[in-house]
Amino acid sequence: TGKVTVARNEYSVNSLLRVLFSWLAPQAGALLMHSSGIRVKNKAYIFTGISGSGKSTVIKEIKKIHGSGRIDILSDELVLVESSNNKNVRAYGTPFWGELSGLRKEQSRGSAGGSAAAKLFFLRKAPFFKIKSLDKTEAMVRILPNVLYFLKNKAAAGMIMSLALEI
């Protein structure tokens, strides 16, 4: 129990909710990832990377190709990724958006149960296009810097590392 006081503006409330989501997610077997995501035919595709790596750009380009009616945008800022014992990875939209916040109306309609994650892509700006499969350890190492988490706690860090390895 406790008390939280925040300034009366949308940024304070948004920041507080991000901290709470990032703290509660691992306890529920999920990670709040700095990523964009879409759902196509009940399969989620997640694009993660540092700021400026192209997360929003990928969503805009996919939307141009497929049109609004054929894809649901989970988010272009933070996607909740859940793992159930390494067997079932699911992605969920969040209320946290970046530069595409005007597209919130298209956010994952009817996805209360999330969507099975089909692919996770790690984005990096480069003068060429390349897709490379990663082993679980390399993928975990690339996931960790993109997990939103604010507390410094050894037990929680271990839980986050385990979840990243499962994803």
Side-chain angles (χ1 to χ4, degrees), residues 76-116:
D76 73 323
E77 178 72 15
L78 294 169
V79 174
L80 188 69
V81 182
E82 173 192 47
S83 177
S84 301
N85 299 320
N86 205 17
K87 293 178 183 162
N88 199 9
V89 177
R90 302 190 68 74
Y92 300 81
T94 69
F96 310 113
W97 285 68
E99 68 180 75
L100 300 181
S101 61
L103 299 178
R104 286 182 195 195
K105 292 178 280 186
E106 298 174 32
Q107 181 180 354
S108 58
R109 297 174 289 273
S111 66
S115 299

Side-chain angles (χ1 to χ4, degrees), residues 7-155:
R8 289 185 181 199
N9 68 58
E10 67 180 290
Y11 303 109
S12 295
V13 173
N14 185 295
S15 294
L16 173 65
L17 290 174
R18 287 173 187 238
V19 171
L20 287 174
F21 267 65
S22 74
W23 179 65
L24 294 171
Q27 296 176 47
L31 298 175
L32 190 58
M33 290 184 60
H34 185 220
S35 57
S36 62
I38 59 166
R39 181 176 66 179
V40 180
K41 297 180 182 176
N42 291 324
K43 296 283 186 189
Y45 298 86
I46 306 160
F47 307 90
T48 189
I50 63 171
S51 294
S53 62
K55 295 177 298 298
S56 296
T57 301
V58 166
I59 298 299
K60 285 190 269 187
E61 292 302 315
I62 292 172
K63 188 176 174 299
K64 275 185 206 174
I65 293 167
H66 291 287
S68 297
R70 298 184 57 201
I71 67 167
D72 290 328
I73 301 170
L74 300 174
S75 177
D76 73 323
E77 178 72 15
L78 294 169
V79 174
L80 188 69
V81 182
E82 173 192 47
S83 177
S84 301
N85 299 320
N86 205 17
K87 293 178 183 162
N88 199 9
V89 177
R90 302 190 68 74
Y92 300 81
T94 69
F96 310 113
W97 285 68
E99 68 180 75
L100 300 181
S101 61
L103 299 178
R104 286 182 195 195
K105 292 178 280 186
E106 298 174 32
Q107 181 180 354
S108 58
R109 297 174 289 273
S111 66
S115 299
K119 297 282 182 189
L120 172 61
F121 297 93
F122 298 95
L123 301 179
R124 172 173 73 181
K125 280 198 177 187
F128 55 87
F129 179 78
K130 176 179 165 182
I131 294 180
K132 173 185 165 188
S133 292
L134 304 176
D135 65 37
K136 284 201 167 277
T137 303
E138 189 176 358
M140 178 193 71
V141 168
R142 291 197 187 186
I143 286 171
L144 290 174
N146 296 300
V147 173
L148 197 68
Y149 198 75
F150 297 100
L151 301 176
K152 294 182 179 181
N153 175 309
K154 286 183 182 181

